[in-house]
């Protein structure tokens, strides 16, 4: 008779503390000493935490581990339909599995093509140049400028707006609402945040409903027009289409915003690596991959076991709530030598920042393109760019990045 595996138990309270949110990596390192998966102490919000690279990859790819969809037992009697933000999220591919997910993903993938992304590159360069001109204007005579609000946020917002077909004049309206909507995705989000997200969700839903109606009547050469033309054949109702446009717009620029902001500080902290990047532009894709591994904008995902399962040899009972730590998997010493060193020369640098399996990020290619173009263009335009003071807060695990980043452009 074989002995059952002893699975260590941990508390997640240190991760959710002020210090843990500010710097989760010491906790990740301690978790790695315990294996790849742990039980979570009784009474906390999850039953298991998975953090080893192989175990995280397994959970993300195994369909028995489902996103927190409407089929999750605790959702069935919860009043989620009373909340515009939750209705949008739970109607999107981010929170659906099975046939519904496949149906929507197939429709969006048919328009979100490599050809369309490649064709967008000249527009991305133009939008970056416009924002660099703005930085130069605001930073004249050494005045400090907030890199996040003046570049890292508006560039991806402009790019996803260009792709979807959001008019340029409307784009400044989005960031405040997108921030409020995205805040409920972090661990431990409060009722106050849910109310603000509901207000934002209602406004964003109304906006995209009107834009869909406009494109149905007057198609243009953009992604929304293409989706509307495929909608009837794909049997995609307006609620589902609009929910996915809303969530795609949110995800399409906030994660890239923080990739650019995190990447800027990493390069400023490593001037030798920055010099190599500028001297050898062919290395740019490897730099972006390492930025995404080392400081990912998304540190976790959540799953529930729809049947008795296992991960890394650990039994996971049906209905267990599983916290999947992508940020910890990216620092797994079993997978990455010296994981806490920022090293763009790594080979075989597969990371899990864009998830894996069925929920692999649809916009990964676009996000990579923006990072590969934006960061070198910033430093070529402003070779003397420097921090003008301490960076702002970076205290979230979902949509993780600085709230402000003061710089001088020289």
């Amino acid at each position: 008779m074989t002995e059952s595996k002893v699975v260590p138990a941990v508390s997640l309270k240190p991760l959710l503390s002020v210090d843990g949110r500010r710097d989760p990596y010491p906790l990740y390192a301690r978790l790695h000493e315990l294996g790849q998966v742990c039980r979570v102490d009784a009474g906390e919000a999850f039953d298991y935490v998975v953090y080893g690279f192989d175990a995280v990859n397994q959970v993300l790819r195994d369909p028995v581990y489902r996103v927190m969809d409407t089929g999750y037992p605790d959702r069935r009697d919860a009043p989620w339909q009373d909340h515009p933000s939750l209705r949008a999220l739970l109607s999107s591919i981010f929170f659906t599995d099975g046939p519904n997910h496949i149906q929507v993903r197939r429709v969006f993938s048919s328009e979100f093509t490599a050809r369309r992304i490649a064709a967008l590159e000249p527009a991305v360069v133009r939008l970056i140049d416009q924002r660099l001109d703005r930085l130069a204007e605001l930073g004249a005579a050494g005045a400090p400028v907030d890199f996040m609000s003046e570049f890292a946020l508006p560039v991806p917002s402009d790019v996803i707006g260009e792709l979807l077909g959001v008019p340029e004049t409307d784009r400044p309206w989005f960031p405040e609402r997108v921030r409020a909507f995205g805040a409920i995705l972090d661990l431990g989000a409060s009722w106050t945040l849910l109310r603000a997200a509901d207000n934002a969700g209602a406004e964003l839903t109304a906006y995209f409903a009107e834009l869909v109606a406009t494109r149905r009547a007057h198609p243009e050469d953009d992604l929304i027009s293409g989706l509307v033309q495929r909608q009837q054949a794909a049997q995609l109702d307006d609620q589902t289409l609009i929910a996915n446009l809303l969530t795609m717009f949110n995800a399409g620029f906030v994660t890239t915003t923080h990739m650019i902001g995190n990447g800027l500080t990493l390069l400023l902290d490593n001037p030798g690596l920055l010099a190599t990047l500028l001297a050898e532009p062919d290395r740019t894709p490897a730099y972006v991959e390492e930025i995404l591994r080392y400081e990912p904008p998304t540190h976790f995902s959540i799953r529930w076991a729809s049947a008795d399962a296992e991960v890394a040899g650990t039994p996971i009972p049906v209905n267990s709530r599983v916290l999947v730590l992508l940020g910890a998997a990216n620092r797994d010493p079993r997978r990455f030598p010296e994981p806490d060193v920022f090293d763009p020369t790594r080979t075989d640098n597969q990371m899990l920042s864009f998830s894996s399996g069925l929920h692999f990020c649809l916009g990964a290619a676009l996000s990579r393109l923006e990072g590969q173009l934006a960061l070198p263009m910033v430093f070529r335009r402003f070779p003397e760019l420097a921090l003008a003071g301490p960076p702002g807060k970076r205290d979230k695990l979902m949509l993780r990045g600085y709230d402000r980043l003061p710089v001088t452009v020289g």
Side-chain angles (χ1 to χ4, degrees):
M1 188 178 198
T2 57
E3 295 184 8
S4 59
K5 180 178 179 180
V6 177
V7 183
V10 297
S11 172
L12 295 176
K13 291 178 181 177
L15 181 63
L16 303 182
S17 69
V18 172
D19 289 341
R21 289 178 184 273
R22 187 181 297 123
D23 183 8
Y25 296 111
L27 176 63
Y28 294 166
R30 291 195 294 274
L31 286 174
H32 286 306
E33 294 173 358
L34 300 175
Q36 297 202 65
V37 55
C38 282
R39 289 185 294 112
V40 176
D41 286 349
E44 298 193 21
F46 299 95
D47 301 302
Y48 291 85
V49 57
V50 178
Y51 47 86
F53 184 92
D54 290 339
V56 167
N57 197 30
Q58 177 188 340
V59 169
L60 295 176
R61 289 178 173 276
D62 189 340
V64 77
Y65 297 103
R66 292 170 55 176
V67 294
M68 304 299 281
D69 55 13
T70 57
Y72 176 59
D74 286 357
R75 288 251 195 257
R76 292 171 188 165
D77 298 320
W80 61 268
Q81 296 190 49
D82 297 339
H83 298 281
S85 58
L86 299 182
R87 284 202 307 271
L89 286 170
L90 293 170
S91 298
S92 75
I93 58 174
F94 295 94
F95 288 89
T96 53
D97 275 315
N100 290 339
H101 179 97
I102 293 169
Q103 176 200 27
V104 176
R105 191 177 184 93
R106 184 180 294 122
V107 175
F108 273 73
S109 296
S110 67
E111 290 295 326
F112 211 118
T113 60
R115 180 179 178 182
R116 188 185 286 273
I117 300 303
L120 197 62
E121 183 169 339
V124 177
V125 172
R126 171 177 56 82
L127 294 167
I128 291 171
D129 274 331
Q130 289 176 358
R131 294 297 172 175
L132 292 176
D133 290 344
R134 173 74 172 161
L135 281 179
E137 178 186 342
L138 293 174
V145 185
D146 180 14
F147 183 81
M148 299 305 297
S149 63
E150 297 297 339
F151 186 87
L153 190 152
V155 165
S157 175
D158 285 343
V159 169
I160 195 67
E162 195 86 6
L163 175 71
L164 292 178
V166 173
E168 191 169 348
T169 53
D170 291 352
R171 294 171 197 168
W173 177 84
F174 280 90
E176 178 183 349
R177 290 158 180 83
V178 166
R179 275 193 291 267
F181 186 86
I184 61 168
L185 296 173
D186 208 22
L187 294 174
S190 67
W191 175 251
T192 302
L193 293 177
L194 179 58
R195 284 189 295 177
D198 280 344
N199 291 335
E203 292 180 338
L204 290 164
T205 297
Y207 178 89
F208 279 107
E210 183 176 348
L211 187 55
V212 163
T214 299
R215 290 295 184 267
R216 185 172 288 130
H218 305 286
E220 296 189 9
D221 184 22
D222 56 42
L223 190 138
I224 290 179
S225 298
L227 291 170
V228 167
Q229 290 168 18
R230 293 178 181 270
Q231 185 181 359
Q232 185 173 357
Q235 298 181 319
L236 200 65
D237 60 68
D238 269 5
Q239 178 186 343
T240 303
L241 175 62
I242 291 163
N244 280 281
L245 288 172
L246 187 164
T247 51
M248 176 181 284
F249 187 91
N250 280 35
F253 85 81
V254 181
T255 51
T256 307
T257 288
H258 293 316
M259 176 187 69
I260 293 172
N262 293 340
L264 184 92
T265 56
L266 284 169
L267 292 172
L268 289 174
D269 287 342
N270 293 274
L273 292 174
L274 173 57
T276 300
L277 171 65
L278 296 177
E280 303 176 38
D282 288 350
R283 292 179 178 264
T284 305
Y287 273 67
V288 170
E289 295 303 290
E290 179 67 350
I291 290 166
L292 287 164
R293 182 199 71 85
Y294 190 83
E295 276 292 0
T298 301
H299 272 236
F300 71 89
S301 186
I302 300 172
R303 297 290 190 270
W304 67 282
S306 60
D308 288 337
E310 65 84 32
V311 58
T314 298
I316 308 293
V318 64
N319 294 335
S320 293
R321 301 157 298 177
V322 182
L323 179 64
V324 185
L325 289 176
L326 311 175
N330 284 350
R331 298 280 189 111
D332 187 345
R334 301 172 186 82
R335 180 65 179 79
F336 302 100
E338 296 186 283
D340 296 321
V341 174
F342 177 67
D343 179 10
T345 68
R346 293 179 186 276
T347 57
D348 188 24
N349 193 16
Q350 178 190 4
M351 45 73 192
L352 294 172
S353 303
F354 291 120
S355 192
S356 186
L358 188 63
H359 285 272
F360 183 80
C361 176
L362 267 176
L366 179 59
S367 185
R368 284 176 163 127
L369 174 67
E370 292 177 73
Q372 291 167 15
L373 291 172
L375 288 168
M377 288 177 69
V378 167
F379 285 106
R380 289 196 181 95
R381 179 73 176 270
F382 304 118
E384 297 178 6
L385 185 143
L387 292 178
K393 291 188 301 182
R394 186 169 59 175
D395 57 2
K396 293 182 173 63
L397 297 173
M398 178 66 73
L399 307 179
R400 178 177 177 79
Y402 299 105
D403 61 351
R404 59 182 179 82
L405 202 55
V407 299
T408 54
V409 297

